[in-house]
Amino acid sequence: MTDQLERNFREDRRVRDAARALVDADLANLRANYAARGLSDRIKHHLTEGAADVLDEAVAVTEDNKGAVAALVAAIVLWFARHPIIDLLTDDTPTPEREPTQSR
């Protein structure tokens, strides 16, 4: 029984040492990788790639839905121009019965 336990112990130790060697190799590889290209460069690259993907998707959706995009742009233009348009359509000249009164 003791021989079996000792064999299991040695086998477990070999497995543990092999796993530790793999972890150490992965850490060394990771450190070398980050030394070659810093974290800020990685973040910048990730953000620019994400922005490019979003732009490509927006262009594809726009090409597929030109009418909806045109209607949306027209609605936005009308929204921002609503006050001048309302001023053109309404008569804001004061008449004698509509003149503002001053209260004291």
Side-chain angles (χ1 to χ4, degrees):
M1 180 87 175
T2 307
D3 290 337
Q4 181 65 30
L5 287 175
E6 185 141 343
R7 273 184 282 191
N8 287 345
F9 179 73
R10 287 184 183 163
E11 181 64 28
D12 290 345
R13 182 176 282 174
R14 279 193 288 266
V15 170
R16 182 202 64 187
D17 291 343
R20 178 63 189 216
L22 286 174
V23 169
D24 289 341
D26 285 345
L27 284 175
N29 187 18
L30 187 63
R31 286 183 182 132
N33 198 0
Y34 274 108
R37 188 168 153 212
L39 185 61
S40 62
D41 287 340
R42 290 173 188 278
I43 291 172
K44 179 181 167 187
H45 176 73
H46 180 71
L47 290 177
T48 55
E49 286 294 316
D53 291 342
V54 168
L55 180 63
D56 291 342
E57 183 68 23
V59 167
V61 168
T62 302
E63 288 175 352
D64 292 341
N65 301 304
K66 290 181 182 180
V69 172
L72 179 63
V73 169
I76 291 171
V77 168
L78 286 174
W79 176 258
F80 284 113
R82 71 186 182 279
H83 293 297
I85 292 171
I86 291 171
D87 290 343
L88 286 174
L89 296 176
T90 59
D91 183 25
D92 285 340
T93 56
T95 58
E97 59 271 354
R98 285 187 49 200
E99 289 183 13
T101 60
Q102 294 180 356
S103 59
R104 291 187 178 214

